[in-house]
Amino acid sequence: MNGLKKLFCAAALCLTATAVWASTFTFKSSTGDSVAFNVPEEFDSFIKEYEDQIQQAINDNGVSTDDLSNAANEINGHGDALKSFAEAYNGIEGSLDTFAGTLLKSIPSAQVGQNQWAQAWIGSLLPTFNMGGGVNVSAATVDIKPIKSFCSELGITALDSFNADFIPFPVVAADIRLGGIILPFDIGFSVMKLDTSKIDSLNQAMNGIALDYFTIGGDIRYAVFKFPLFNFRVSASAGYYYTSTKLSYAGSSSDMMKGAKLNLETSTFVVGAQASAKFLRILVPFAGARLMVSNGSMDWSLTPNWNQLLTGMDSAATYFLPKTFAGKTSSETSWQPQLYVGLGLDLFVVDITASVGYTFGPNVFNGAVSLRVAWN
């Protein structure tokens, strides 16, 4: 991600007592006076590539000759700390790319668990009035080892309490399904919006982390086979789901990071087939297969707290230190097959459905549970 390099180029001016000097670069203050900077070998290539951007930042901030000279001395005095910080950042892009890739592969498995009904076809809307709605919770496994390592290096403590290396990524939605008219089909819709920053109890419980979550989607299923015995049904389906997740972390004045943000968007098209039967009037076992076609993107930003990272740094030196690090990862279109099985309980007008599945390729396990009021 070139974005991080562009933002990080300013920190490349740090000098260390043990560094091997590779080049001398000259920058001009806002008044046109030249000031020479010795650049350590570790950052020579960064400065060569982004020398123009650094000079532009000096011009934009109106840095005087005295400030420019003082900054060189200040940065030199904090060289070891800056070098340690730079070394810690060497793995950031790789860690976040890995984490983003894991999320972008896992979320589709959770998305398609929305609006999962046990019966392969619930029946017609007319004249029998087959419909229902309720709440569905689905989740897929996500490997959080990369993000735990990343947070540990930067002093972000929000994940310290998580001992497991895998956590479920949840998708919560309200859903409704309506039987078709004339032809044997049904249509389902699901949607949910949640912003924890607007709910005081959740905001306090999440210890500085805020979640802004939105999901919407739907599908249509067509009954391709019906057999009266055991109410056996087979349907083919097609659908689309969109999920947006925004996470933010607000650090305290004593943290190394003032804040962090992560925005994730995923779109998934899905086609599938499902078979179901009904036993003892209440038990509805089902099984199916899906093919998910998805793509997504994740962008992130980090705001370092230089006062904690570099104690005693003069404000003049901060002209050359990035206020924010940022980057973005986009996934290529992925094709993921999934198999799933489940069981529904048809308790008069109460419908309870549970399912588990496995997605080949990313090797993701997923599950879903729903509670609905239904007439079918």
Side-chain angles (χ1 to χ4, degrees):
M1 290 181 287
N2 292 327
L4 181 58
K5 289 183 179 179
K6 292 178 181 178
L7 291 168
F8 190 59
C9 65
L13 293 172
C14 69
L15 312 177
T16 65
T18 58
V20 177
W21 308 122
S23 302
T24 298
F25 292 85
T26 300
F27 295 99
K28 291 185 177 181
S29 68
S30 60
T31 57
D33 297 319
S34 298
V35 177
F37 282 80
N38 291 322
V39 178
E41 184 177 40
E42 294 85 352
F43 301 115
D44 180 74
S45 62
F46 283 100
I47 299 301
K48 287 180 179 177
E49 186 172 358
Y50 297 106
E51 189 172 359
D52 291 341
Q53 287 90 327
I54 295 173
Q55 182 62 64
Q56 187 62 48
I58 294 172
N59 297 339
D60 291 344
N61 285 283
V63 181
S64 68
T65 302
D66 288 341
D67 283 346
L68 196 59
S69 299
N70 291 337
N73 294 330
E74 286 291 331
I75 290 173
N76 184 45
H78 290 81
D80 289 338
L82 280 169
K83 185 176 180 180
S84 297
F85 181 76
E87 291 173 348
Y89 257 86
N90 284 339
I92 281 183
E93 287 180 307
S95 296
L96 288 174
D97 278 342
T98 300
F99 182 60
T102 299
L103 276 176
L104 294 175
K105 291 177 180 178
S106 296
I107 291 177
S109 297
Q111 285 178 307
V112 297
Q114 301 177 69
N115 220 351
Q116 175 68 66
W117 288 63
Q119 292 195 66
W121 172 54
I122 65 171
S124 299
L125 183 62
L126 297 174
T128 51
F129 198 65
N130 290 301
M131 64 175 295
V135 178
N136 176 276
V137 180
S138 56
T141 54
V142 176
D143 184 353
I144 62 168
K145 292 192 293 291
I147 204 68
K148 287 175 67 177
S149 174
F150 161 73
C151 289
S152 176
E153 288 180 350
L154 294 182
I156 297 175
T157 60
L159 294 181
D160 286 355
S161 60
F162 287 90
N163 296 320
D165 290 331
F166 292 85
I167 62 171
F169 183 94
V171 174
V172 182
D175 63 30
I176 185 172
R177 187 169 292 276
L178 304 173
I181 300 174
I182 302 176
L183 297 176
F185 71 94
D186 59 36
I187 300 177
F189 303 95
S190 60
V191 64
M192 180 62 74
K193 169 70 174 176
L194 174 65
D195 186 350
T196 62
S197 66
K198 293 179 170 55
I199 305 174
D200 289 340
S201 58
L202 282 177
N203 195 31
Q204 294 174 9
M206 294 182 72
N207 191 30
I209 297 177
L211 169 66
D212 187 354
Y213 166 84
F214 174 71
T215 185
I216 189 169
D219 69 352
I220 182 169
R221 306 186 303 177
Y222 189 87
V224 296
F225 183 79
K226 297 178 291 180
F227 190 71
L229 183 63
F230 301 121
N231 199 21
F232 183 72
R233 299 174 178 181
V234 177
S235 65
S237 63
Y240 169 79
Y241 297 92
Y242 168 81
T243 299
S244 170
T245 302
K246 299 179 181 179
L247 284 168
S248 62
Y249 172 74
S252 67
S253 59
S254 61
D255 291 339
M256 289 199 298
M257 286 293 130
K258 291 182 180 179
K261 294 182 180 180
L262 184 151
N263 300 323
L264 182 71
E265 292 185 336
T266 305
S267 297
T268 301
F269 293 91
V270 58
V271 293
Q274 179 180 329
S276 68
K278 195 169 188 178
F279 300 95
L280 303 177
R281 295 182 177 273
I282 61 171
L283 299 177
V284 187
F286 62 94
R290 302 183 179 104
L291 177 62
M292 299 173 289
V293 183
S294 65
N295 57 60
S297 64
M298 187 185 88
D299 61 82
W300 55 269
S301 65
L302 300 166
T303 304
N305 186 353
W306 293 116
N307 290 331
Q308 288 297 320
L309 290 165
L310 307 171
T311 305
M313 173 71 80
D314 187 87
S315 60
T318 60
Y319 288 120
F320 306 95
L321 300 175
K323 300 298 185 291
T324 302
F325 296 95
K328 183 172 183 176
T329 298
S330 297
S331 69
E332 297 180 354
T333 300
S334 63
W335 300 68
Q336 302 178 13
Q338 182 189 82
L339 296 178
Y340 62 93
V341 296
L343 179 67
L345 294 178
D346 187 354
L347 305 174
F348 188 45
V349 295
V350 177
D351 185 286
I352 302 172
T353 303
S355 64
V356 294
Y358 178 77
T359 303
F360 298 87
N363 301 319
V364 173
F365 291 92
N366 69 287
V369 178
S370 63
L371 175 64
R372 305 182 180 96
V373 175
W375 295 266
N376 52 60

